[in-house]
């Protein structure tokens, strides 16, 4: 198992880091995600067998662990104004969008991240998650509408035209 795990780490650690960084927007958080995922792999029970598709598994694990970090940070924020970025700061806007993504239901957030952050197609996402392409398409459509509504609310908060 250690040799297999080392091979998996060498082959996919950059993928896990990049995925986590795109979602968290922070290198330290991405490193935490990387460490967490591989520590979980080390702690796996040997009876569970080898990973069937390690790349897909690790990408999904990175998305979910990253969203957990964003959610934890959101829960720790001190007040409602922290949810709204300051006017004109794109970094704060990205942070606001991360928080909105973290507020989604886990499966919708995972699908959205795989589609719009990682660039997978709906059929690829359906295969990864073991679900239908129709469910992926419907979930993504609803999620985009929900995020657009939140973005309009944000822009109204700033006094811009939605």
């Amino acid at each position: 198992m250690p040799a297999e795990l080392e091979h998996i780490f060498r082959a996919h650690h950059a993928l896990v880091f990049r995925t986590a960084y795109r979602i968290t927007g922070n290198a330290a958080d991405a490193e935490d995600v990387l460490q967490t995922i591989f520590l979980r792999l080390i702690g796996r029970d040997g009876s569970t067998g080898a990973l069937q598709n390690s790349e897909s598994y690790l990408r999904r694990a990175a998305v979910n662990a990253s969203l957990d970090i964003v959610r934890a940070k959101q829960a720790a924020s001190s007040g409602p104004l922290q949810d709204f970025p300051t006017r004109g700061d794109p970094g704060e806007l990205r942070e606001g969008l991360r928080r909105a993504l973290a507020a989604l239901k886990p499966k919708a957030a995972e699908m959205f991240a795989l589609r719009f952050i990682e660039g997978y197609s709906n059929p690829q996402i359906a295969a990864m998650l073991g679900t239908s392409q129709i469910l992926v398409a419907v979930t993504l459509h609803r999620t985009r509408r929900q995020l657009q509504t939140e973005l309009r609310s944000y822009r109204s908060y700033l006094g811009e035209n939605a």
Side-chain angles (χ1 to χ4, degrees):
M1 176 71 172
E4 177 188 356
L5 187 57
E6 183 177 347
H7 172 73
I8 291 171
F9 178 81
R10 288 181 189 272
H12 302 295
H13 76 278
L15 166 95
V16 172
F17 180 85
R18 280 191 316 270
T19 300
Y21 184 79
R22 286 182 190 133
I23 293 170
T24 64
N26 180 304
D29 289 341
E31 286 286 342
D32 288 346
V33 168
L34 178 68
Q35 182 179 10
T36 298
I37 289 170
F38 281 97
L39 284 173
R40 285 179 188 162
L41 284 177
I42 290 170
R44 277 176 49 138
D45 181 3
S47 66
T48 58
L51 295 176
Q52 296 300 321
N53 184 342
S54 56
E55 182 177 337
S56 177
Y57 172 85
L58 291 170
R59 187 179 307 273
R60 288 185 63 200
V63 167
N64 288 321
S66 299
L67 289 170
D68 288 345
I69 286 175
V70 173
R71 286 183 185 111
K73 284 184 173 187
Q74 180 180 5
S77 66
S78 62
L81 290 180
Q82 298 235 354
D83 290 339
F84 295 99
T86 57
R87 181 175 229 152
D89 185 348
E92 291 293 325
L93 176 59
R94 281 192 293 276
E95 182 60 28
L97 291 174
R98 280 188 190 95
R99 289 181 179 174
L101 183 62
L104 296 172
K105 292 180 182 176
K107 191 58 79 176
E110 182 178 15
M111 286 181 188
F112 187 88
L114 288 169
R115 179 71 175 101
F116 297 106
I117 296 174
E118 291 300 308
Y120 283 94
S121 68
N122 290 4
Q124 290 170 317
I125 295 168
M128 280 184 202
L129 302 180
T131 191
S132 72
Q133 291 180 41
I134 292 172
L135 180 61
V136 170
V138 168
T139 301
L140 288 173
H141 176 74
R142 289 179 180 161
T143 302
R144 284 183 67 183
R145 290 183 74 186
Q146 180 180 349
L147 291 174
Q148 286 171 341
T149 299
E150 290 180 25
L151 181 57
R152 275 191 217 101
S153 296
Y154 162 72
R155 291 178 73 188
S156 294
Y157 171 80
L158 293 178
E160 298 176 5
N161 293 330

